[in-house]
Amino acid sequence: MYATQALTDLVPLAEELDKNKVTPGVLGFIVFAALAVGVWLLMKSMNRHMGKVDFEEAPDPDAEAGAPVAAGSAKRN
């Protein structure tokens, strides 16, 4: 059976559908659900990997311990 013959057999089935009603159907739901599960698994993995990160910021070598703070860089609460 050729692909063109299979398509011509499906044409009468397509005419029975309501052309004003378009829905994603079951396949659309399955694809959306698979994407949602994939994103959830990626977020879970990212959180696990970010929890393993141990980052300590090195002190600024240019800043001296006893140096006065510049006029524009005062900390605000």
Side-chain angles (χ1 to χ4, degrees):
M1 178 185 260
Y2 295 107
T4 55
Q5 185 180 5
L7 289 176
T8 56
D9 291 341
L10 293 176
V11 170
L13 295 175
E15 292 176 356
E16 295 174 6
L17 297 175
D18 184 9
K19 295 180 181 181
N20 295 323
K21 182 179 178 184
V22 178
T23 62
V26 176
L27 179 62
F29 175 75
I30 291 171
V31 169
F32 182 77
L35 287 172
V37 169
V39 167
W40 180 74
L41 288 172
L42 284 171
M43 292 291 289
K44 188 174 178 180
S45 174
M46 182 190 70
N47 283 332
R48 192 172 345 140
H49 282 85
M50 291 299 288
K52 292 179 182 178
V53 173
D54 184 25
F55 177 75
E56 290 185 24
E57 187 172 346
D60 189 8
D62 295 335
E64 296 178 13
V69 178
S73 63
K75 290 185 180 179
R76 296 181 188 192
N77 291 340

